[in-house]
Amino acid sequence: MATPRSKAGTKGVPRALREEQILAAATEEFGAHGYAGASLAAVAARVGVTKTLLHQYFGTKQDLHLACLTPVGDRLVAAMREAVAEDGATAPETPLRVLRSIFNALEGRRESWFVLYDPSLPPDGESARRAASYRASVDRLAAGGTADLLRAAGSTDPLDADALNHVWQGLVATLVRWWIKHPDQSPDAMARRCARLFAVGAALASDGPDLGVPAARATDRSATPGVP
């Protein structure tokens, strides 16, 4: 999803449009190279403007990063909350609805996932603090959703909840990374793919040996992992 490059020195572009171009290019740059490896010169070159203009519009590198980070963090957390609240965390279809909400929130700037989950952020900077706050919100939604699903299925073991939370979050990260590498896959197509994968997982689980799992967990709720 490369950003179309403008000709260097282009004039007469409305500020709002130019800012949008810069944010799209910066999101790609930060997503591809991380904060530490991203170059403001590369961002300027993608858009066809000077670094001076970049600084005039957005300030420092961290200011520009925050301008890329905040929209995706707000969209992602809001979309996930709405998906969980629609029918409640314990509804069997909620995990797939949450995944669909994540894909929709990222569509158009999929690389923004790596802007949010960037290990190279300076730990004492505002970008790191803002990203950590968004990730904490995601973690709370995941922990609450997976625990609710397990309780509804008959398990109150906190270690079960912790393990399922880790499994779910790892699954989401893996699916998003796969999706980013396949730009031809729309959010709806990806959601349908996840539904097929979950169905296979449910079939495998139902054909497996009896390991003493409560009966409620052998129902259709076992078809899906927890909810972030």
Side-chain angles (χ1 to χ4, degrees):
M1 299 193 302
T3 302
R5 299 185 179 224
S6 303
K7 293 181 179 179
T10 299
K11 297 183 183 295
V13 177
R15 180 173 180 128
L17 177 57
R18 186 63 87 195
E19 288 181 350
E20 184 178 340
Q21 292 172 342
I22 291 171
L23 287 175
T27 298
E28 290 182 3
E29 179 71 10
F30 286 126
H33 303 289
Y35 184 92
S39 162
L40 293 187
V43 174
R46 284 174 182 264
V47 184
V49 299
T50 64
K51 280 182 64 177
T52 300
L53 182 66
L54 217 61
H55 287 300
Q56 288 174 350
Y57 277 20
F58 289 99
T60 66
K61 181 178 180 179
Q62 180 167 254
D63 292 332
L64 179 57
H65 184 273
L66 283 168
C68 297
L69 170 66
T70 301
V72 65
D74 288 345
R75 283 199 311 272
L76 194 60
V77 172
M80 292 170 63
R81 283 177 176 157
E82 183 178 353
V84 172
E86 186 172 327
D87 289 321
T90 59
E93 66 275 11
T94 297
L96 282 172
R97 189 168 58 246
V98 170
L99 280 170
R100 185 187 295 273
S101 76
I102 292 172
F103 300 139
N104 282 326
L106 295 173
E107 182 64 348
R109 292 185 186 172
R110 301 184 187 188
E111 297 87 353
S112 59
W113 175 264
F114 300 115
V115 178
L116 179 58
Y117 289 90
D118 181 358
S120 76
L121 292 174
D124 57 345
E126 180 58 28
S127 284
R129 287 190 288 271
R130 187 81 57 85
S133 176
Y134 286 126
R135 293 195 299 266
S137 295
V138 171
D139 291 348
R140 285 192 295 271
L141 286 166
T146 50
D148 286 347
L149 274 178
L150 282 173
R151 280 194 294 271
S155 172
T156 57
D157 186 335
L159 290 180
D160 276 2
D162 185 58
L164 183 56
N165 181 25
H166 278 74
V167 168
W168 169 258
Q169 295 201 52
L171 177 66
V172 170
T174 299
L175 288 170
V176 169
R177 287 172 181 269
W178 186 92
W179 180 56
I180 290 170
K181 292 179 180 179
H182 295 79
D184 59 311
Q185 297 291 299
S186 69
D188 285 347
M190 192 63 190
R192 291 192 296 271
R193 187 177 305 281
C194 290
R196 294 194 296 272
L197 295 177
F198 283 9
V200 171
L204 291 174
S206 64
D207 290 340
D210 182 2
L211 299 179
V213 178
R217 296 176 68 183
T219 68
D220 60 356
R221 285 191 176 140
S222 67
T224 53
V227 181

